C-alpha cells in the first residue's frame, strides 16, 4: 500500500515544483494547533504567489483542512498509524472518546515518521523549508536527513513559550514558586515586570520531573531537543504585543542565527485569499448573528471554553446561574451533549451546542466581552476584535495567557483557578463568583472597564496594523521567505556540538 496519497487543490503537483519555491507545512492533529497553520499556509499562498505550499494531513482530517484552504494550496495525506487501544478513525485530539487516550494518541503521531520521510524522499528536490508543530518532534531529524530546514510552531505566544522554557531549564525557580505560599515570583531571563504564581505554572511543567508520567515521557523521548535545534520558530502573534519576550525566547534556540518570526494574527494575515476561507465564518446554523442583531451594542457577553477541557455538569450549572444573575444577555457555546441548562436560564440567554462563527460573533457590536478559557487562538481573536476578556484558564499554558492578557496588557479580568481549572476534579467556581466577574467584565462605564476597553482597542489597532502593508508581521513574513531562499541549501548546524552543549546545560 502506498504510504502517501496526494490531493491537489488546483495547484501543480509538489513533486514537479522547484524545491526553492516549495514550503511544506505539517500541523499537529488538534484543532487549536491545526487552524493557525492552515491560516499560515493561506497567508503564504496569498502574499508569496511564486511559492508552492503543501499541507500534510491524515485521512480523517483532510476534509477539515480542505475546507479552510484556498485552491492554490496542496494537500498530501499520510496514513494515520494504528495503535490500539486508540479507535480506528480517531485522528485528532477533539475526537478522543476519553482523556486517558491522549498519551496513546501522542505515541501514534510519532509513528508518522516513516510515511513523512517517504514523502520527503518522493520529492524531486528538498523543499525550501518544513514548518511543523513541536509535538511532531520526529520531523526535525527526518527533515534534516533530507536536507530540509525545520521551522517549529507551538501555537503559543512568545511570552508563554519563553516562560515555559525558562522554567524547564531553571527548575529551582519553579520549585521556589511552588513553596512561596502563592506569592508571585520572578521568572529567570524574563523582563523584570514578569512575575507569575505557582498556580500559573502549566501542569505539564509541574509533572516534568515525573519519569512515570506518560506525557512527560513523550516530551522527553519523542520531542526531546528537536524544538531548540530548529532553524527558527514561527509565532502566531505580533510585535506590539510580544516584542518584549522575543529575545528571551530566541535565547533557547541553539542554531546560530535562529529567530522567532512573529507573523500574526494569522487569521488576519490569511485574509488575502478569502474565496474559501469565508465558508467557515459564513456558516451559522443556529442563527447566532441574527440573534445578536436584535441586541443593544455592548450588551451581550459571549461565552466559550474551547474544545479540549471537560467541564463538569455541576460547574456548567454554576456558570448558567451566574450568567443569569449578572443581568446581562449572553450567548454561550457549550460543548457538552449531556448537560441540560437549568430552566431559569431565561429569555436573555442563548445556549448553542453546534458551530458558532466565533470571529464574527466577537466582532459584532452587540458583544461587550468574552468569557474564555484563554487559549491563545481565542485570546488573539478577542483582542483583534477589540473586546475585553474574562480569562478562565483550564489547561496547558492558558494560565500564562491569562497573566499576559489580563494582568500585563490590562485588557481583561480573571477568574482564579488552580492548574487544571475546571478540568481539575472537584473544583467548582460558584455562581456568585461568576456573577461578580461577569459584571466586572461588562461594566463599560467604571474606571476599570474603561481601561480594559482602551487596552483592547489598542491591541485591535496594533493587530490590524501588523498584518497590513508595511506592518511588522507582513514584513516578518517576507523576511522569513527571503532568508530561507537566500540560504537555501546551506548547512547551518553542527548538531553533535550543540547536543553536547545542551546536555551540559540541562
Amino acid at each position: 500500500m502506498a504510504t502517501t496519497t496526494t490531493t491537489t487543490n488546483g495547484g501543480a503537483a509538489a513533486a514537479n515544483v522547484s524545491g526553492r519555491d516549495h514550503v511544506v507545512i505539517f500541523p499537529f492533529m488538534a484543532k487549536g494547533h491545526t487552524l493557525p497553520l492552515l491560516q499560515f499556509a493561506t497567508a503564504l499562498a496569498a502574499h508569496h504567489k511564486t511559492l508552492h505550499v503543501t499541507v500534510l494531513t491524515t485521512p480523517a482530517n483532510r476534509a477539515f483542512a480542505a475546507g479552510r484552504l484556498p485552491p492554490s494550496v496542496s494537500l498530501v495525506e499520510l496514513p494515520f498509524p494504528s495503535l490500539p487501544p486508540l479507535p480506528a478513525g480517531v485522528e485528532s485530539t477533539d475526537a478522543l472518546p476519553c482523556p486517558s487516550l491522549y498519551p496513546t494518541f501522542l505515541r501514534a503521531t510519532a509513528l508518522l515518521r516513516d510515511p513523512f520521510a517517504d514523502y520527503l524522499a518522493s520529492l524531486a528536490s528538498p523543499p525550501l523549508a518544513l514548518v511543523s508543530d513541536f509535538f511532531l518532534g520526529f520531523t526535525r531529524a527526518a527533515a534534516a536527513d533530507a536536507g530540509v530546514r525545520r521551522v517549529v510552531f507551538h501555537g503559543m505566544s512568545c511570552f508563554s513559550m519563553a516562560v515555559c522554557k525558562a522554567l524547564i531549564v531553571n527548575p529551582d525557580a519553579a520549585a521556589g514558586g511552588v513553596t512561596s505560599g502563592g506569592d508571585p515570583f520572578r521568572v529567570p531571563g524574563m523582563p523584570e515586570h514578569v512575575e507569575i504564581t505557582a498556580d500559573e505554572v502549566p501542569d505539564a511543567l509541574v509533572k516534568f520531573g515525573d519519569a512515570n508520567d506518560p506525557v512527560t515521557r513523550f516530551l522527553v523521548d519523542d520531542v526531546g531537543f528537536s524544538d531548540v535545534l530548529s532553524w527558527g520558530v514561527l509565532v502566531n502573534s505580533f510585535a506590539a504585543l510580544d516584542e518584549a519576550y522575543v529575545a528571551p525566547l530566541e535565547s533557547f534556540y541553539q542554531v546560530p542565527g535562529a529567530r522567532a518570526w512573529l507573523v500574526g494574527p494569522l487569521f488576519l494575515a490569511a485574509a488575502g485569499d478569502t474565496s474559501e476561507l469565508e465558508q467557515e465564518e459564513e456558516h451559522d446554523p443556529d442563527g447566532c448573528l441574527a440573534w445578536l442583531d436584535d441586541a443593544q451594542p455592548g450588551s451581550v457577553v459571549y461565552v466559550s471554553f474551547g474544545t479540549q477541557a471537560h467541564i463538569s455538569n455541576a460547574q456548567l450549572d454554576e456558570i448558567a446561574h451566574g450568567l443569569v444573575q449578572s443581568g446581562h444577555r449572553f450567548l454561550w457555546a457549550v460543548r457538552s451533549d449531556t448537560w441540560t441548562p437549568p430552566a431559569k436560564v431565561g429569555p436573555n440567554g442563548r445556549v448553542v451546542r453546534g458551530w458558532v462563527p466565533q470571529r464574527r460573533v466577537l466582532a459584532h457590536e452587540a458583544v461587550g466581552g468574552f468569557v474564555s478559557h484563554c487559549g491563545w487562538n481565542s485570546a488573539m481573536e478577542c483582542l483583534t476584535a477589540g473586546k475585553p476578556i474574562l480569562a478562565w484558564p483550564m489547561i496547558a499554558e492558558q494560565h500564562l495567557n491569562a497573566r499576559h492578557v489580563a494582568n500585563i496588557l490590562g485588557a481583561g479580568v480573571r477568574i482564579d483557578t488552580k492548574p487544571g481549572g475546571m478540568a481539575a476534579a472537584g473544583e467548582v467556581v460558584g455562581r456568585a463568583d461568576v456573577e461578580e466577574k461577569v459584571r466586572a467584565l461588562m461594566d463599560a462605564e467604571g474606571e476599570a472597564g474603561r481601561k480594559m476597553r482602551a487596552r483592547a482597542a489598542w491591541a485591535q489597532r496594533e493587530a490590524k496594523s501588523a498584518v497590513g502593508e508595511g506592518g511588522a508581521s507582513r514584513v516578518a513574513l517576507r523576511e522569513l521567505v527571503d532568508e530561507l531562499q537566500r540560504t537555501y541549501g546551506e548547512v547551518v548546524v553542527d548538531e553533535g556540538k550543540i547536543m553536547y552543549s545542551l546536555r551540559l546545560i540541562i
Side-chain angles (χ1 to χ4, degrees):
M1 182 178 69
T3 58
T4 63
T5 302
T6 303
T7 305
T8 305
N9 291 353
N16 297 324
V17 175
S18 165
R20 190 176 181 275
D21 298 319
H22 184 201
V23 175
V24 176
I25 299 172
F26 198 171
F28 180 65
M29 301 84 187
K31 296 298 188 290
H33 289 241
T34 297
L35 275 170
L37 283 185
L38 297 181
Q39 293 157 357
F40 176 67
T42 303
L44 276 181
H47 301 303
H48 298 271
K49 297 186 183 299
T50 61
L51 287 179
H52 180 84
V53 182
T54 298
V55 173
L56 303 185
T57 187
T58 65
N61 292 303
R62 192 185 76 83
F64 179 84
R68 291 158 178 82
L69 290 171
S72 55
V73 175
S74 296
L75 279 172
V76 169
E77 289 182 15
L78 304 181
F80 195 84
S82 173
L83 187 64
L86 192 68
V90 173
E91 299 179 9
S92 62
T93 57
D94 58 294
L96 290 171
C98 58
S100 63
L101 284 174
Y102 180 61
T104 305
F105 180 83
L106 290 177
R107 293 198 304 274
T109 63
L111 298 178
L112 285 161
R113 177 186 172 113
D114 287 346
F116 170 70
D118 290 345
Y119 164 72
L120 291 180
S122 73
L123 300 176
S125 55
L128 180 65
L130 165 74
V131 181
S132 66
D133 195 282
F134 89 103
F135 271 119
L136 305 177
F138 65 87
T139 60
R140 195 213 62 84
D145 290 344
V148 182
R149 289 166 296 182
R150 186 248 194 143
V151 179
V152 67
F153 177 74
H154 285 256
M156 297 162 61
S157 66
C158 289
F159 175 87
S160 292
M161 276 190 282
V163 169
C164 288
K165 292 181 181 299
L167 294 178
I168 289 174
V169 301
N170 296 282
D172 290 344
V178 170
T179 60
S180 66
D183 295 331
F185 65 93
R186 283 284 315 282
V187 178
M190 293 292 284
E192 289 187 3
H193 68 270
V194 176
E195 291 185 327
I196 67 172
T197 66
D199 285 347
E200 292 168 340
V201 178
D203 191 51
L205 298 189
V206 174
K207 296 178 179 177
F208 206 75
D210 182 2
N212 295 317
D213 179 69
V215 175
T216 297
R217 293 279 13 120
F218 175 83
L219 292 174
V220 172
D221 297 339
D222 293 276
V223 175
F225 297 123
S226 65
D227 177 12
V228 297
L229 287 173
S230 299
W231 181 85
V233 54
L234 188 79
V235 186
N236 184 17
S237 188
F238 52 99
L241 184 64
D242 240 356
E243 62 185 344
Y245 318 110
V246 168
L249 173 62
E250 290 177 341
S251 71
F252 294 101
Y253 285 84
Q254 300 298 310
V255 173
R259 279 185 56 185
W261 303 88
L262 279 65
V263 295
L266 284 169
F267 68 87
L268 285 184
D273 189 336
T274 59
S275 57
E276 294 198 10
L277 294 178
E278 290 303 317
Q279 289 181 6
E280 174 184 351
E281 290 298 297
E282 292 294 337
H283 187 50
D284 184 18
D286 288 282
C288 298
L289 298 171
W291 186 80
L292 290 171
D293 288 340
D294 292 332
Q296 294 296 315
S299 65
V300 177
V301 55
Y302 172 57
V303 186
S304 177
F305 298 109
T307 61
Q308 296 299 313
H310 171 74
I311 304 173
S312 69
N313 287 348
Q315 181 65 84
L316 292 171
D317 282 344
E318 292 301 303
I319 295 169
H321 286 294
L323 289 170
V324 171
Q325 291 170 191
S326 76
H328 292 282
R329 299 188 72 181
F330 62 90
L331 175 64
W332 184 6
V334 176
R335 184 186 181 201
S336 173
D337 293 325
T338 60
W339 174 70
T340 301
K344 294 182 180 179
V345 163
N348 287 333
R350 182 78 182 275
V351 176
V352 178
R353 298 184 191 274
W355 169 257
V356 173
Q358 179 162 294
R359 293 205 297 271
R360 291 181 68 194
V361 165
L362 286 170
H364 199 287
E365 66 173 1
V367 172
F370 183 21
V371 180
S372 171
H373 61 304
C374 219
W376 189 240
N377 292 336
S378 290
M380 290 286 282
E381 290 175 358
C382 185
L383 293 175
T384 303
K387 304 295 171 66
I389 192 167
L390 170 49
W392 196 331
M394 296 181 231
I395 59 174
E397 90 290 0
Q398 292 164 9
H399 288 78
L400 297 177
N401 295 340
R403 165 70 62 172
H404 187 186
V405 174
N407 298 93
I408 296 176
L409 176 61
V413 293
R414 297 178 62 175
I415 283 184
D416 294 322
T417 63
K418 296 179 179 179
M422 286 187 291
E427 178 169 345
V428 175
V429 176
R431 64 191 70 182
D433 288 339
V434 175
E435 175 189 356
E436 177 188 358
K437 295 294 187 177
V438 170
R439 286 181 182 272
L441 173 72
M442 298 298 286
D443 179 13
E445 301 302 323
E447 181 180 359
R450 290 197 301 270
K451 287 182 178 179
M452 281 192 292
R453 280 155 180 78
R455 296 302 290 159
W458 171 86
Q460 180 185 42
R461 292 192 299 271
E462 293 293 339
K464 291 182 176 180
S465 174
V467 299
E469 190 62 41
S473 294
R474 179 77 70 88
V475 170
L477 181 62
R478 184 180 68 245
E479 290 178 347
L480 170 61
V481 174
D482 289 348
E483 180 67 11
L484 284 166
Q485 291 185 324
R486 185 184 68 80
T487 58
Y488 178 66
E490 290 185 4
V491 177
V492 295
V493 58
D494 183 345
E495 184 169 316
K497 183 177 180 180
I498 290 176
M499 290 291 288
Y500 176 74
S501 300
L502 282 170
R503 289 191 177 96
L504 290 179
I505 295 170
I506 301 176

